[in-house]
Amino acid sequence: MTDPVITYTETDTKGRYVARVAGTSAEGELTLSKASPRTVIVDHTGVPDTLRAQGIAAALARRVIEDARDRGQKIVPLCPFFRAYAERHRDDLADVIQW
């Protein structure tokens, strides 16, 4: 699998990460809400069937975690996928996840 290209767009209150893979028009997404300048809520992760089992959702999760660390933010894991990902990596994410 080719690594996805992940882009980020935002408004004052929301953010959206989009993952695209060369050769397909399908895209995965992870959305968040900005609760405060220091806290974001990951509220949705979605990957279409054509991109499943390729690590797209995990790549999106890693990117939002990296960006939150860079910005000094905490993440509230509301999305079921992201929450499960954070649970599996609890020790590595203790600095960035707000349970």
Side-chain angles (χ1 to χ4, degrees):
M1 179 198 94
T2 305
D3 285 337
V5 174
I6 299 175
T7 57
Y8 177 68
T9 56
E10 67 182 336
T11 66
D12 289 341
T13 60
K14 302 280 185 186
R16 180 175 187 247
Y17 290 86
V18 175
R20 293 181 178 86
V21 176
T24 179
S25 61
E27 59 187 35
E29 73 171 355
L30 182 149
T31 61
L32 58 85
S33 298
K34 298 176 185 178
S36 75
R38 294 283 178 223
T39 307
V40 296
I41 302 166
V42 172
D43 49 32
H44 169 74
T45 305
V47 176
D49 290 341
T50 56
L51 295 179
R52 297 260 167 148
Q54 296 184 41
I56 303 299
L60 288 162
R62 288 189 301 271
R63 173 66 184 275
V64 73
I65 291 162
E66 177 184 319
D67 286 355
R69 279 188 174 131
D70 289 347
R71 296 177 183 134
Q73 295 173 320
K74 294 286 188 177
I75 302 170
V76 176
L78 182 63
C79 162
F81 168 83
F82 189 83
R83 185 170 188 83
Y85 182 92
E87 286 280 357
R88 285 191 308 274
H89 303 279
R90 190 181 267 272
D91 292 341
D92 296 330
L93 302 179
D95 64 317
V96 73
I97 300 297
Q98 181 176 310
W99 300 103

